[in-house]
């Protein structure tokens, strides 16, 4: 979908949802980001789940998985079983979705610049949050900006987070396959609060939907990621659960990821470190297929699987919050 088609698809889903969904536009300094709130009118949700998609513009499949999740929530897609699961999940959960967190750069990607990751100012939005922010980038295209929350996109996202006050936060990416929790800011630390429960949720989700490495973000990816949303919302936002899901990579990488997953099942998470993936590739033909599925069948498999995973995430974390 183009950006306009993505927004039109969200509007269509909101209309199908009736009084269960509301769409809102938030603007600052010439940047507009739309959000969608989904909540059953007769429910009292104990779990407020924030899903953020498209933080890195080249990862188009992230936003596509979010749109499918919204469509299933509103009865527009998925099997009867999927829609029944969505209806059940909404009894105890409300969802706030940001489908396109980097809208200006997504337009560049749609024009054929398939390697663009940062916003138009060259700032990596997922290094611009005020959580162990570091001035000097750790990799070539992870410029953190001149200061935390220097960018209109992250300022908008911060306002939305603060207003919604999520109990569960999920940011969705592509470029590998993995399911991560704090901390991302270094390769040695693992979140203290809710650590065992978060690991258990990730283990169950990985078994069902990914068969991929899971655990502490920095440890798993093998390099420090300071200034990320997953760390900020967990620490400053005090979300009980905070996750980063990497949902797709070129299938040539799958065998190595499966070996790491099998090793972690045997020895526990974080038994191995992934070699830090390079972000320096500038070939658009390489980027588009590395970060996104290229066939209709592969696309459908990814969005269907991860829409289901998002419902299961809410169900698992919501059950723990109620317990």
């Amino acid at each position: 979908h183009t950006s306009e088609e993505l927004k039109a698809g969200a509007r269509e889903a909101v209309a199908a949802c009736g009084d269960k969904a509301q769409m809102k536009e938030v603007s600052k300094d010439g940047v507009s980001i739309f959000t969608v709130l989904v909540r059953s009118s007769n429910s009292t949700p104990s779990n407020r789940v924030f899903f953020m998609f498209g933080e890195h513009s080249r990862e188009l499949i992230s936003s596509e998985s979010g749109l499918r999740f919204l469509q299933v929530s509103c009865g527009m897609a998925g099997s009867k079983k999927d829609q029944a699961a969505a209806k059940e999940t909404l009894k105890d959960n409300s969802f706030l979705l940001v489908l396109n967190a980097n809208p200006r750069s997504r337009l560049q990607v749609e024009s054929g610049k398939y390697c663009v990751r940062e916003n138009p100012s060259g700032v990596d939005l997922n290094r611009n949050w005020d959580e162990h922010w570091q001035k000097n980038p750790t990799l070539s295209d992870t410029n953190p900006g001149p200061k935390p929350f220097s960018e209109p996109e992250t300022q908008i996202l911060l306002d939305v987070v603060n207003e919604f006050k999520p109990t569960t936060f999920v940011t969705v990416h592509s470029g590998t396959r993995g399911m991560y929790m704090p901390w991302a800011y270094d390769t040695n630390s693992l979140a203290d609060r809710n650590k065992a429960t978060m690991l258990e949720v990730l283990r169950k989700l990985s078994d069902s939907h990914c068969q991929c490495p899971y655990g502490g973000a920095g440890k798993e990816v093998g390099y420090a990621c300071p200034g990320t949303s997953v760390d900020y919302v967990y620490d400053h936002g005090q979300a009980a659960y905070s996750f980063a899901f990497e949902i797709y990579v070129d299938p040539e990488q799958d065998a190595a990821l499966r070996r790491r997953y099998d090793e972690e099942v045997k020895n526990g998470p974080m038994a191995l470190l992934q070699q830090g993936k390079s972000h320096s590739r500038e070939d658009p033909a390489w980027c588009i297929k590395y970060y996104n599925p290229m066939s209709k069948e592969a696309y459908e498999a990814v969005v269907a699987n991860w829409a289901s995973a998002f419902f299961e995430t809410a169900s698992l974390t919501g059950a723990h919050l109620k317990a």
Side-chain angles (χ1 to χ4, degrees), residues 213-250:
Y214 64 94
K219 278 182 173 287
E220 287 299 327
V221 301
Y223 54 86
C225 305
T228 62
S229 56
V230 67
D231 283 356
Y232 182 92
V233 181
Y234 174 76
D235 189 13
H236 293 266
Q238 288 293 293
Y241 301 90
S242 190
F243 302 125
F245 294 170
E246 294 268 5
I247 68 171
Y248 182 82
V249 70
D250 187 326

Side-chain angles (χ1 to χ4, degrees), residues 16-312:
C17 255
D19 62 359
K20 286 196 307 182
Q22 299 173 346
M23 194 166 171
K24 180 182 177 182
E25 195 100 9
V26 186
S27 300
K28 183 169 288 189
D29 296 336
V31 177
S32 292
I33 291 176
F34 70 90
T35 67
V36 179
L37 175 66
V38 183
R39 174 177 174 168
S40 289
S41 54
N42 57 352
S43 70
T44 54
S46 56
N47 193 17
R48 298 180 302 279
V49 190
F50 189 128
F51 288 99
M52 183 160 64
F53 305 93
E55 209 172 4
H56 293 144
S57 47
R58 66 189 175 192
E59 299 164 13
L60 300 171
I61 192 61
S62 167
S63 298
E64 298 292 330
S65 70
L67 179 60
R68 177 59 59 88
F69 175 67
L70 176 59
Q71 290 169 333
V72 176
S73 298
C74 296
M76 291 184 62
S79 65
K80 289 184 178 179
K81 181 180 178 182
D82 293 333
Q83 293 182 13
K87 188 174 182 179
E88 184 66 26
T89 305
L90 279 166
K91 290 180 180 179
D92 295 313
N93 298 270
S94 61
F95 305 133
L96 187 66
L97 281 61
V98 170
L99 294 182
N100 186 7
N102 194 354
R104 295 181 294 168
S105 285
R106 183 186 170 98
L107 293 174
Q108 294 184 37
V109 173
E110 291 168 9
S111 75
K113 298 178 180 178
Y114 297 132
C115 295
V116 175
R117 165 186 168 102
E118 310 95 330
N119 77 351
S121 299
V123 174
D124 183 344
L125 300 181
N126 202 30
R127 298 295 187 273
N128 191 235
W129 295 70
D130 193 10
E131 181 66 46
H132 290 265
W133 181 86
Q134 292 181 11
K135 186 174 184 178
N136 297 317
T138 54
L139 292 170
S140 62
D141 56 358
T142 61
N143 172 21
K147 62 180 180 180
F149 297 120
S150 60
E151 306 309 297
E153 294 91 348
T154 48
Q155 291 170 25
I156 291 171
L157 295 169
L158 175 64
D159 289 345
V160 174
V161 165
N162 287 340
E163 181 180 354
F164 187 60
K165 296 180 173 57
T167 50
T168 299
F169 174 79
V170 183
T171 179
V172 179
H173 294 266
S174 65
T176 186
R177 289 192 306 108
M179 310 192 78
Y180 309 138
M181 57 183 276
W183 300 105
Y185 70 80
D186 73 14
T187 59
N188 300 308
S189 304
L190 193 61
D192 298 323
R193 178 169 47 86
N194 250 5
K195 174 172 66 176
T197 308
M198 280 197 283
L199 278 171
E200 178 64 11
V201 168
L202 290 180
R203 183 191 65 78
K204 289 180 178 179
L205 291 169
S206 185
D207 287 350
S208 300
H209 297 282
C210 195
Q211 296 85 51
C212 60
Y214 64 94
K219 278 182 173 287
E220 287 299 327
V221 301
Y223 54 86
C225 305
T228 62
S229 56
V230 67
D231 283 356
Y232 182 92
V233 181
Y234 174 76
D235 189 13
H236 293 266
Q238 288 293 293
Y241 301 90
S242 190
F243 302 125
F245 294 170
E246 294 268 5
I247 68 171
Y248 182 82
V249 70
D250 187 326
E252 291 180 4
Q253 309 296 317
D254 280 346
L257 290 166
R258 181 58 193 246
R259 285 194 296 272
R260 290 189 56 230
Y261 166 74
D262 290 340
E263 185 69 21
E264 289 186 351
V265 169
K266 180 180 177 182
N267 297 323
M270 299 158 298
L272 296 172
L273 295 183
Q274 178 184 345
Q275 295 301 312
K277 62 183 179 184
S278 171
H279 295 296
S280 63
R281 295 296 295 265
E282 295 298 334
D283 176 10
W286 181 88
C287 288
I288 188 65
K289 74 181 186 70
Y290 191 83
Y291 294 100
N292 305 284
M294 289 290 96
S295 71
K296 182 178 180 180
E297 293 76 15
Y299 168 93
E300 185 61 33
V302 172
V303 297
N305 174 63
W306 286 98
S308 175
F310 301 152
F311 285 113
E312 188 173 346

